Amino acid sequence: MNNKKQNSALKVNEGIQQPPNINPYLKFKKKNKIQSPEFYVNGILEKDLSILSQAITIVESNLNEHRLIARSIIQKCLPLSGNSFRLGITGVPGVGKSTFIEYFGQLIIQNNRKVAVLAVDPSSERSKGSILGDKTRMESLSVNPNAFIRPSPSGCTLGGVARRTRETIILCEAAGFDFILVETVGVGQSETVVFNMVDMFLLLMLAGAGDELQGIKRGIMEMADIIAITKADGDNVLRCNLAANEYRNALKYLPLPESGWKPQVCTCSSTTGHGLNELYEIIQNYIKYTKTNKTFENRRKKQAKHWMYESMFDMLKENFLTNTNIKQLLKNYEEKVILNKINPIEAAEIILNRYYENFIKK
Amino acid sequence: MNNKKQNSALKVNEGIQQPPNINPYLKFKKKNKIQSPEFYVNGILEKDLSILSQAITIVESNLNEHRLIARSIIQKCLPLSGNSFRLGITGVPGVGKSTFIEYFGQLIIQNNRKVAVLAVDPSSERSKGSILGDKTRMESLSVNPNAFIRPSPSGCTLGGVARRTRETIILCEAAGFDFILVETVGVGQSETVVFNMVDMFLLLMLAGAGDELQGIKRGIMEMADIIAITKADGDNVLRCNLAANEYRNALKYLPLPESGWKPQVCTCSSTTGHGLNELYEIIQNYIKYTKTNKTFENRRKKQAKHWMYESMFDMLKENFLTNTNIKQLLKNYEEKVILNKINPIEAAEIILNRYYENFIKK
């Protein structure tokens, strides 16, 4: 296991020392008084990163009153968003994602862009704590005034993290960040989620480390618009070049992405800087290519539609669970299900029928 | 990448040759006439594996008419289910999951149990095809009359796979299978989903293969009740023993599971059979331990409650999407969102308000 990450995660968790059911935003509420949506929107437009951070914390909150404010902030920011490039980055732990972002992020800034780094990392089921302490592993980037790094919201399901990240992208864009990196831990369902919110997908891979072990599933390879073999320095260069050729061959057997773009394979090193400029170049070519054939725009449209549906499903659930009449009913049937007096599906049907028949206000 | 699996997956997909939007169950419908729920329930109770398979296909279907029959079958099977042991198994590709199940499954049968092997493997986003061809990699087990192997339903989201697998467990149990193995591909959100439907969780690990690369996140380690180091044979034995000790140490830093059970670490080999009996023994101890302190029962109760909520959310969504009045509205607003005339969240709010105000039958 990755001890560096593990230990720091353990420390963080030891430090918290609170029962898992306490909502972290109660703490937040005490510290920072909640302001009006306008306050946050103005702060964001003035590029005040502290207010941006506070607004994101509200977006990440599960409290109902925060959700309402969050929705209002997002709606006001939406018309000011979208003029960015959104890049998804994935790769298994150990591939060097953080180091890559640390250096590639600075290269982006050298090209007169402002970069925001977000993470989609559904947290540990039991400890409800986020595992990665990204900020501490991107020392130079995190203090650069043209960079903004935000770790994954903790204590959420994957769906929850997804919604919050999508909303956070909007706020960052409204605050002037025009290059959004969305990082995710390789090899899971979270890639699909990130794929649905970015313009391009970058897969980081290691050379010769036993490819089976990298646990990269075909589905993830299929999503990649670029594969970059990392750690291409010293005596590893040859192996990286061989690996790059292997992946180039493997890609031939996969269907082309919808954009028609032929996925590129390159090698890079965060230590020597080798390949980073080339990678930036490939990204520029990709943008040109997909903007010309309109697939850039089409992908964004599809994502907006997807987002509309996700929002509806979220609200549907929220309205149901917060209906005051339903609460007692849920409690009663929970009890019955636990005591095995009724099966879960039957209970669900009864509750829903009651909900539709009696409890929805006309 | 794992070439063996890749190639076979590619072949399977090449063979299908159908546009991705065609529902696979339309094909099924033509081939097998849908029978009454009683037909399937009787077949299941008579332990007819062909009818069990057909019933599972109905459970996996997305068609509305199939969902109604499926729900009825499940409700009738539920009182006859539950008398089994449900074991979740995870590990990254390459750890030898299929080979392990091939041999461990036979050991279970030697102990006079009947074993069902299910998989939770959310399929590739783009090709919508299942990646693993498990059955072909479990040659002896798949032809054993006391075993039943069912690959993961394809073309579903993780939530969809989860619901279907939970329902399939019920059908298999009603058909007399009393040892259920639920396999999942390591390192993703799917572990959490499997964790919520099994009694015990087994994590397979490789020795000395660069632990970082195994991509096992702390969250998954925390879920494990047993860690088994695989491929402990030949000159790999020493490394496996060292790894086992390392994991024993690592586990000290993790909180104990809710059951109070201290997670065990062992080594095993599917080639020599080493450690498999010991593993079976540990499982028996776990069952005794958790049944004595009632955590076995409590975990099942919690899972039933969780299932009730999941079913409600599914039905809520289903009722919404199949409401005839809402369909045109959805189409109109999809269009507006795509043309950027309205933002996705606002559109979602408007549609839902209309739905609540006008379209729900009293």
Side-chain angles (χ1 to χ4, degrees), chain B residues 216-230:
Chain B
I216 292 295
K217 286 172 56 181
R218 180 166 171 263
I220 294 175
M221 284 268 296
E222 281 181 3
M223 284 190 247
D225 298 300
I226 318 180
I227 294 177
I229 321 290
T230 58

mmCIF file of all heavy atoms in Angstrom, chain B residues 216-230:
data_model
loop_
_atom_site.group_PDB
_atom_site.id
_atom_site.type_symbol
_atom_site.label_atom_id
_atom_site.label_comp_id
_atom_site.label_asym_id
_atom_site.label_seq_id
_atom_site.Cartn_x
_atom_site.Cartn_y
_atom_site.Cartn_z
ATOM 1 N N ILE B 216 -4.844 -0.631 -4.516
ATOM 2 C CA ILE B 216 -5.828 -0.909 -3.487
ATOM 3 C C ILE B 216 -5.898 0.286 -2.552
ATOM 4 O O ILE B 216 -4.930 0.655 -1.916
ATOM 5 C CB ILE B 216 -5.454 -2.173 -2.694
ATOM 6 C CG1 ILE B 216 -5.590 -3.398 -3.587
ATOM 7 C CG2 ILE B 216 -6.320 -2.336 -1.455
ATOM 8 C CD1 ILE B 216 -6.992 -3.698 -4.046
ATOM 9 N N LYS B 217 -7.042 0.882 -2.502
ATOM 10 C CA LYS B 217 -7.201 2.049 -1.660
ATOM 11 C C LYS B 217 -7.500 1.644 -0.224
ATOM 12 O O LYS B 217 -8.025 0.572 0.036
ATOM 13 C CB LYS B 217 -8.343 2.908 -2.191
ATOM 14 C CG LYS B 217 -7.966 3.647 -3.459
ATOM 15 C CD LYS B 217 -9.151 4.329 -4.055
ATOM 16 C CE LYS B 217 -9.799 5.274 -3.059
ATOM 17 N NZ LYS B 217 -10.971 5.930 -3.645
ATOM 18 N N ARG B 218 -7.190 2.530 0.660
ATOM 19 C CA ARG B 218 -7.402 2.266 2.069
ATOM 20 C C ARG B 218 -8.850 1.869 2.343
ATOM 21 O O ARG B 218 -9.133 0.973 3.127
ATOM 22 C CB ARG B 218 -7.018 3.523 2.854
ATOM 23 C CG ARG B 218 -7.199 3.395 4.337
ATOM 24 C CD ARG B 218 -6.491 4.528 5.053
ATOM 25 N NE ARG B 218 -6.849 4.510 6.456
ATOM 26 C CZ ARG B 218 -7.791 5.243 7.004
ATOM 27 N NH1 ARG B 218 -8.494 6.063 6.252
ATOM 28 N NH2 ARG B 218 -8.040 5.158 8.291
ATOM 29 N N GLY B 219 -9.773 2.520 1.665
ATOM 30 C CA GLY B 219 -11.185 2.227 1.861
ATOM 31 C C GLY B 219 -11.505 0.766 1.615
ATOM 32 O O GLY B 219 -12.353 0.185 2.291
ATOM 33 N N ILE B 220 -10.821 0.157 0.653
ATOM 34 C CA ILE B 220 -11.094 -1.245 0.337
ATOM 35 C C ILE B 220 -10.453 -2.154 1.378
ATOM 36 O O ILE B 220 -11.049 -3.136 1.810
ATOM 37 C CB ILE B 220 -10.626 -1.571 -1.098
ATOM 38 C CG1 ILE B 220 -11.490 -0.781 -2.076
ATOM 39 C CG2 ILE B 220 -10.729 -3.062 -1.388
ATOM 40 C CD1 ILE B 220 -11.083 -0.885 -3.512
ATOM 41 N N MET B 221 -9.237 -1.797 1.806
ATOM 42 C CA MET B 221 -8.592 -2.537 2.906
ATOM 43 C C MET B 221 -9.508 -2.558 4.132
ATOM 44 O O MET B 221 -9.629 -3.554 4.832
ATOM 45 C CB MET B 221 -7.274 -1.849 3.305
ATOM 46 C CG MET B 221 -6.117 -2.066 2.369
ATOM 47 S SD MET B 221 -5.090 -3.491 2.845
ATOM 48 C CE MET B 221 -4.445 -2.938 4.433
ATOM 49 N N GLU B 222 -10.138 -1.426 4.393
ATOM 50 C CA GLU B 222 -10.997 -1.306 5.576
ATOM 51 C C GLU B 222 -12.210 -2.219 5.521
ATOM 52 O O GLU B 222 -12.769 -2.574 6.544
ATOM 53 C CB GLU B 222 -11.493 0.136 5.712
ATOM 54 C CG GLU B 222 -10.479 1.062 6.305
ATOM 55 C CD GLU B 222 -11.049 2.470 6.443
ATOM 56 O OE1 GLU B 222 -12.228 2.681 6.125
ATOM 57 O OE2 GLU B 222 -10.295 3.351 6.865
ATOM 58 N N MET B 223 -12.632 -2.536 4.303
ATOM 59 C CA MET B 223 -13.819 -3.367 4.162
ATOM 60 C C MET B 223 -13.496 -4.849 4.354
ATOM 61 O O MET B 223 -14.391 -5.644 4.601
ATOM 62 C CB MET B 223 -14.397 -3.184 2.758
ATOM 63 C CG MET B 223 -15.140 -1.886 2.574
ATOM 64 S SD MET B 223 -15.999 -1.945 0.995
ATOM 65 C CE MET B 223 -15.120 -0.702 0.108
ATOM 66 N N ALA B 224 -12.212 -5.212 4.184
ATOM 67 C CA ALA B 224 -11.844 -6.632 4.143
ATOM 68 C C ALA B 224 -11.971 -7.311 5.499
ATOM 69 O O ALA B 224 -11.517 -6.782 6.509
ATOM 70 C CB ALA B 224 -10.415 -6.773 3.623
ATOM 71 N N ASP B 225 -12.601 -8.478 5.517
ATOM 72 C CA ASP B 225 -12.610 -9.330 6.702
ATOM 73 C C ASP B 225 -11.498 -10.373 6.613
ATOM 74 O O ASP B 225 -11.045 -10.892 7.621
ATOM 75 C CB ASP B 225 -13.969 -10.018 6.834
ATOM 76 C CG ASP B 225 -15.099 -9.020 7.010
ATOM 77 O OD1 ASP B 225 -15.059 -8.262 7.996
ATOM 78 O OD2 ASP B 225 -15.997 -8.975 6.151
ATOM 79 N N ILE B 226 -11.115 -10.705 5.407
ATOM 80 C CA ILE B 226 -9.938 -11.552 5.165
ATOM 81 C C ILE B 226 -9.147 -10.954 4.011
ATOM 82 O O ILE B 226 -9.726 -10.518 3.019
ATOM 83 C CB ILE B 226 -10.281 -12.979 4.665
ATOM 84 C CG1 ILE B 226 -11.467 -13.576 5.400
ATOM 85 C CG2 ILE B 226 -9.071 -13.887 4.773
ATOM 86 C CD1 ILE B 226 -11.790 -14.978 4.898
ATOM 87 N N ILE B 227 -7.823 -10.969 4.164
ATOM 88 C CA ILE B 227 -6.954 -10.665 3.029
ATOM 89 C C ILE B 227 -6.212 -11.953 2.700
ATOM 90 O O ILE B 227 -5.587 -12.549 3.584
ATOM 91 C CB ILE B 227 -5.950 -9.548 3.369
ATOM 92 C CG1 ILE B 227 -6.695 -8.228 3.618
ATOM 93 C CG2 ILE B 227 -4.919 -9.380 2.263
ATOM 94 C CD1 ILE B 227 -5.807 -7.080 4.039
ATOM 95 N N ALA B 228 -6.296 -12.416 1.462
ATOM 96 C CA ALA B 228 -5.563 -13.615 1.065
ATOM 97 C C ALA B 228 -4.530 -13.238 0.013
ATOM 98 O O ALA B 228 -4.857 -12.619 -1.001
ATOM 99 C CB ALA B 228 -6.518 -14.670 0.517
ATOM 100 N N ILE B 229 -3.265 -13.565 0.279
ATOM 101 C CA ILE B 229 -2.204 -13.305 -0.689
ATOM 102 C C ILE B 229 -2.189 -14.499 -1.637
ATOM 103 O O ILE B 229 -1.949 -15.636 -1.210
ATOM 104 C CB ILE B 229 -0.824 -13.173 -0.006
ATOM 105 C CG1 ILE B 229 -0.924 -12.408 1.321
ATOM 106 C CG2 ILE B 229 0.190 -12.561 -0.945
ATOM 107 C CD1 ILE B 229 -1.206 -10.966 1.214
ATOM 108 N N THR B 230 -2.441 -14.241 -2.906
ATOM 109 C CA THR B 230 -2.560 -15.342 -3.869
ATOM 110 C C THR B 230 -1.207 -15.722 -4.470
ATOM 111 O O THR B 230 -0.212 -15.021 -4.272
ATOM 112 C CB THR B 230 -3.499 -14.956 -5.037
ATOM 113 O OG1 THR B 230 -2.979 -13.781 -5.653
ATOM 114 C CG2 THR B 230 -4.907 -14.686 -4.539
#
